[in-house]
Amino acid sequence: MGAASNNDNEFGEDQSTNNDATSTNHDDASAQQPMTCSTKSSPADSSVVFSPELLGMYYARLFPYQMLYSWLSYDPATINPNNNNNNTTKNGTSNNTTTFPRREFSMTIEPTPGNEVYIRYQSFLSQEELTTAIQKRRPTKIDIGAVFNYPPKDNKSLPSGKLQTQERELVFDIDLTDYDGVRNCGCDGAKICPKCWTFMGMAMEVMNEGLRNDFGFEHVAWFYSGRRGVHCWVCDDGARKLTNEARSAVAT
């Protein structure tokens, strides 16, 4: 993979260039911004060596661009990828035009093996722009950030403090390391096996019950974290607009 050029800033800003860089909570970019994310993204596993060729094949053939775009647009019209009018709602307004382009993405890339570059403040007008950027950069990790009041890629052209968080999914991170005290299968740390993974299944059932029945959330998505646990994304409109205090109240 070639080194990042100045043209890479078309989609965002290179933030750091060292292999110890940790992906930070996107909403922590400005201390004054409300509604920060409840979790931090874990850094890429330094023991894993990524093949640029295999990454290229994955992003060209397997990556779910349309599914990701449809989800983060929050527009039912985008569910059908063959819908030529997927930018316009019944009343003539455009949901994804006002939501998806204001979503921040970050990417961790490796221009050379072991040299991580963390790129923030990226945003895309369309699925096609997102696809082009990902296939060009072949990131080893992609983080999904908040929706801001302006496209994050325009942050340098805005007055200081003008870029403000508008909404963010309510996210919970559950790791198997939280259960190290009761795991009796011989695993600890990031090691997992089918036996200790049952703790994740039980945690998901308990949380799902509480989020749906106690708080009334309906749109709850679960994802494997890629390492040692699961992430829960609550995507209801009300959840995305919760204040920091309300998010803490749900978590506790």
Side-chain angles (χ1 to χ4, degrees), residues 21 46 52 65 71 75 79 99 104 142 158-159 172 180 185 193 209:
S46 60
Y65 297 102
W71 166 32
D75 181 358
I79 294 175
T99 300
E104 182 188 4
I142 301 172
L158 297 171
F172 298 92
D180 279 352
C185 56
C193 72
E209 182 78 10

Side-chain angles (χ1 to χ4, degrees), residues 16 40 89 135 176:
S16 59
K40 285 187 177 182
T89 60
Q135 291 186 351
L176 266 175

Side-chain angles (χ1 to χ4, degrees), residues 23-29 36-41 120 168:
S23 296
T24 59
N25 181 338
H26 288 188
D27 298 342
D28 289 341
T36 59
C37 176
S38 60
T39 64
K40 285 187 177 182
S41 174
R120 277 205 61 182
R168 178 70 162 93

